[in-house]
């Protein structure tokens, strides 16, 4: 039988009892030096920096300085567009920039270095063993390269899945992380291929549209900038579906990412082997497989994004009834136009710091909706209650700026007339009064934890000391 202690009092700060950097039982915990955050971050940055320097030296050695600069200038062109596309997909619950920076750096430096070294070694070994360099190149491109490159890129997705679990909550997160990693990898690979093509043109004297550089640019940057992201996104989808599974489903959480990785390797191998299918093999594979697959995955990701918005609209009303959110907020937070209008209004009325606060409010509210959705479906982690309290506290801290902005957005974007009371509130509800006052609902519109100005930190209602969505807890 679960017990129900009073609501917690307002925390004294971010390092309060039991919080990050805090203490338990009055004794401050001291982590081993290798577990400290700055040590892990330092080791990771050092690894990526060294990989970047080595890959820079290898590419420059193969292309020459002039070829490297030309390849760099041409390869960078599709990168902003691809990053912007993945950020657009991630607007419902935007992940932290540090995850995207790590993903891109891993793809461009660590994964590219692993691929170059492993592919070269494997191809030379096969050529020596078979005494057939031509067959070794074909086998290396169609078998070795897909396995090595997709595994190297998948490592970034795995690391974020394991060590940034709170930021990895579903399919869209897997798609974004995998896509940004592959974008970084493709960037480095394009520098190498375009730089090498430029060196070939320098030797042959070709220039203009008839040059090898122009042909390489057309195939890799114009026709198929999405090729590497498309392959690795399959791995990301596998990890994303695994993230939606409960922790107790161990087999599913292993098999789904592996299945996505195998699909990525298969599509990559088909793409690399298209040149062996005859004169028009490349165009046949491009039209029959790549374009339909790109369209299907694009539809899947956009549909998933709309489903996430619907989840926000469905889950947040429970917190409106408890007094944490105002009545129009679930609609605005589940509508991309409403969220944008709220940020713009805050920026115009109160400044850019206010706009950032509203954006943070929207992100925390979305995370709260997803957390509750997972809990209702029996997929909550053991720290459900702690995480819910953290998110609610972050919302409460930003309410003074976010609520007027969201109320304005509700009036500007509501599909039906929304009546205000002249004080920035909609539906005629006063902050601090009963929700739907006079209509028989009787829900208190005060913060459930007793936070806020003028409130005493006392219990407003029982707060469970256990995870109410854990099916194994009674």
């Amino acid at each position: 039988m679960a017990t129900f202690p009073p609501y917690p009092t307002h925390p004294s700060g971010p390092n309060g009892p039991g919080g990050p950097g805090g203490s338990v039982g009055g004794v401050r915990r001291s982590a081993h030096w290798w577990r400290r955050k700055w040590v892990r971050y330092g080791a990771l940055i050092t690894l990526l920096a060294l990989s970047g320097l080595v890959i820079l030296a290898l590419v420059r050695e193969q292309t020459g300085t002039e070829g490297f600069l030309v390849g760099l200038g041409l390869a960078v062109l599709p990168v902003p567009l691809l990053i912007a596309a993945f950020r657009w997909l991630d607007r419902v619950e935007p992940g932290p920039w540090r995850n995207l920076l790590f993903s891109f750096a891993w793809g461009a430096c660590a994964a590219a270095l692993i691929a170059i070294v492993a592919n070269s070694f494997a191809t030379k070994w096969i050529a020596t063993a078979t005494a057939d360099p031509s067959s070794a190149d074909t086998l290396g491109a169609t078998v070795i390269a897909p396995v090595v490159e997709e595994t190297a890129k998948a490592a970034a997705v795995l690391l974020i899945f394991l060590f940034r679990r709170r930021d990895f909550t579903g399919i869209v997160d897997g798609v974004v992380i995998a896509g940004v990693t592959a974008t970084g990898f493709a960037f480095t690979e394009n520098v190498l291929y375009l730089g090498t093509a430029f060196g070939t043109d320098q030797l042959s004297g070709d220039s203009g549209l008839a040059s090898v550089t122009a042909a390489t640019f057309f195939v890799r940057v114009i026709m198929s900038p999405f090729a590497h992201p498309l392959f690795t996104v399959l791995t990301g989808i596998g990890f994303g579906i695994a993230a939606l599974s409960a922790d107790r489903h161990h087999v599913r959480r292993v098999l789904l990412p592996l299945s996505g990785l195998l699909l990525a390797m298969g599509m990559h191998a088909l793409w690399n082997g298209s040149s062996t299918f005859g004169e028009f093999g490349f165009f046949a594979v491009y039209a029959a497989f790549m374009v339909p697959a790109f369209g299907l995955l694009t539809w899947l990701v956009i549909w998933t994004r709309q489903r996430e918005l619907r989840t926000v609209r469905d889950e947040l009303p429970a917190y409106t009834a408890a007094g944490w959110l105002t009545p129009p907020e679930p609609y605005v937070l589940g509508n991309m136009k409403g969220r944008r209008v709220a940020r713009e209004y805050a920026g115009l009325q109160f400044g850019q710091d206010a706009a950032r606060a509203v954006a943070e409010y929207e992100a925390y509210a979305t995370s709260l909706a997803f957390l509750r959705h997972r809990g209702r479906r029996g997929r909550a982690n053991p720290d459900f209650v702690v995480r819910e309290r953290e998110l609610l506290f972050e919302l409460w801290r930003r309410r003074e700026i976010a609520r007027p902005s969201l109320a304005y957005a509700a009036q500007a974007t509501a599909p039906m007339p929304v009546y205000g009371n002249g004080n920035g509130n909609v539906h005629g509800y006063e902050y601090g009064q009963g929700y739907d006052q006079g209509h028989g609902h009787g829900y208190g519109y005060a913060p459930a934890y007793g936070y806020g100005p003028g409130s005493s930190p006392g219990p407003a209602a029982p707060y469970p000391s256990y995870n109410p969505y854990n099916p194994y807890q009674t």
Side-chain angles (χ1 to χ4, degrees):
M1 179 66 67
T3 58
F4 295 87
Y7 281 93
T9 58
H10 196 294
S12 58
N15 292 326
S23 60
V24 177
V27 179
R28 186 176 181 86
R29 291 180 174 177
S30 57
H32 295 291
W33 67 270
W34 63 83
R35 294 182 178 176
R36 294 175 181 173
K37 184 178 294 187
W38 68 268
V39 174
R40 297 200 300 267
Y41 280 139
L44 184 61
I45 293 172
T46 301
L47 172 65
L48 292 177
L50 290 176
S51 300
L53 291 175
V54 174
I55 197 71
L56 176 65
L58 290 176
V59 173
R60 182 179 174 277
E61 179 183 3
Q62 185 163 340
T63 63
T65 301
E66 190 175 0
F68 171 79
L69 294 176
V70 171
L72 180 65
L74 296 176
V76 78
L77 294 178
V79 172
L81 298 177
L82 291 170
I83 297 295
F86 288 117
R87 285 295 290 176
W88 178 83
L89 292 175
D90 202 31
R91 290 302 296 272
V92 176
E93 189 188 20
W97 270 103
R98 63 177 179 270
N99 289 349
L100 300 185
L101 289 174
F102 163 76
S103 300
F104 186 87
W106 181 276
C109 301
L113 179 60
I114 293 171
I116 287 180
V117 173
N119 289 341
S120 299
F121 174 80
T123 302
K124 290 180 180 179
W125 181 83
I126 293 172
T128 302
T130 62
D132 188 355
S134 177
S135 298
D137 289 339
T138 302
L139 186 62
T142 57
V143 178
I144 303 300
V147 173
V148 171
E149 293 176 9
E150 294 307 320
T151 303
K153 289 181 286 183
V157 188
L158 175 63
L159 289 173
I160 294 179
F161 181 83
L162 293 177
F163 298 105
R164 285 290 181 265
R165 189 65 184 83
R166 284 185 174 181
D167 302 330
F168 205 127
T169 59
I171 294 176
V172 172
D173 293 317
V175 168
V176 171
I177 293 168
V180 172
T181 303
T183 299
F185 183 90
F187 165 72
T188 300
E189 193 176 67
N190 285 342
V191 173
L192 176 61
Y193 279 99
L194 289 167
T196 302
F198 179 80
T200 302
D201 290 331
Q202 292 291 95
L203 294 175
S204 63
D206 294 332
S207 61
L209 296 178
S211 64
V212 178
T213 304
T216 305
F217 179 82
F218 177 75
V219 170
R220 299 190 64 87
V221 177
I222 302 299
M223 283 192 66
S224 58
F226 57 84
H228 271 290
L230 179 62
F231 308 145
T232 313
V233 156
L234 296 173
T235 303
I237 291 175
F239 275 99
I241 299 175
L244 295 173
S245 304
D247 288 344
R248 63 183 181 275
H249 297 151
H250 301 294
V251 175
R252 184 187 304 176
R253 289 165 66 88
V254 172
L255 291 182
L256 286 171
L258 286 178
S259 300
L261 177 60
L262 291 176
L263 287 174
M265 292 176 180
M267 181 165 281
H268 195 157
L270 179 65
W271 174 251
N272 284 3
S274 61
S275 59
T276 64
F277 298 157
E279 183 179 357
F280 300 102
F282 167 80
F283 297 100
V285 171
Y286 184 86
F289 292 97
M290 296 295 289
V291 173
F294 178 77
L296 180 62
L297 289 177
T298 301
W299 171 84
L300 173 64
V301 173
I302 293 176
W303 175 83
T304 303
R305 188 176 116 143
Q306 295 302 315
R307 186 169 175 267
E308 289 182 342
L309 291 171
R310 187 168 60 250
T311 298
V312 172
R313 294 192 295 269
D314 292 344
E315 300 293 347
L316 289 184
Y319 296 100
T320 297
W324 285 100
L325 305 177
T326 57
E329 288 184 47
Y331 164 75
V332 178
L333 293 168
N335 180 284
M336 294 306 295
K337 181 180 179 181
R339 294 164 70 135
R340 176 177 54 81
V341 170
R343 294 192 301 270
E344 292 175 352
Y345 177 83
L348 291 174
Q349 295 295 321
F350 310 112
Q352 291 305 310
D353 289 340
R356 281 190 292 271
V358 172
E360 292 169 354
Y361 188 95
E362 294 170 349
Y364 284 123
T366 304
S367 297
L368 182 64
F370 292 168
L371 180 71
R372 177 178 172 82
H373 182 70
R374 291 194 300 274
R376 286 200 309 104
R377 297 173 67 89
R379 298 171 179 171
N381 294 327
D383 66 341
F384 173 89
V385 173
V386 175
R387 180 58 175 163
E388 182 186 43
R389 178 166 30 187
E390 292 174 353
L391 293 171
L392 288 171
F393 178 63
E394 295 296 342
L395 292 178
W396 194 249
R397 287 177 52 198
R398 295 164 175 82
R399 72 193 186 284
E400 297 296 339
I401 293 176
R403 284 182 172 179
S405 302
L406 293 168
Y408 173 84
Q411 292 176 317
T413 61
M416 61 184 65
V418 179
Y419 302 99
N421 59 8
N423 295 324
N425 304 323
V426 297
H427 299 290
Y429 302 141
E430 293 282 358
Y431 297 139
Q433 296 182 357
Y435 169 67
D436 203 11
Q437 188 174 10
H439 290 76
H441 292 77
Y443 294 125
Y445 200 28
Y449 292 152
Y451 297 169
S455 63
S456 60
Y463 185 86
S465 62
Y466 73 113
N467 180 355
Y469 295 124
N470 188 342
Y472 294 105
Q473 201 160 15
T474 58

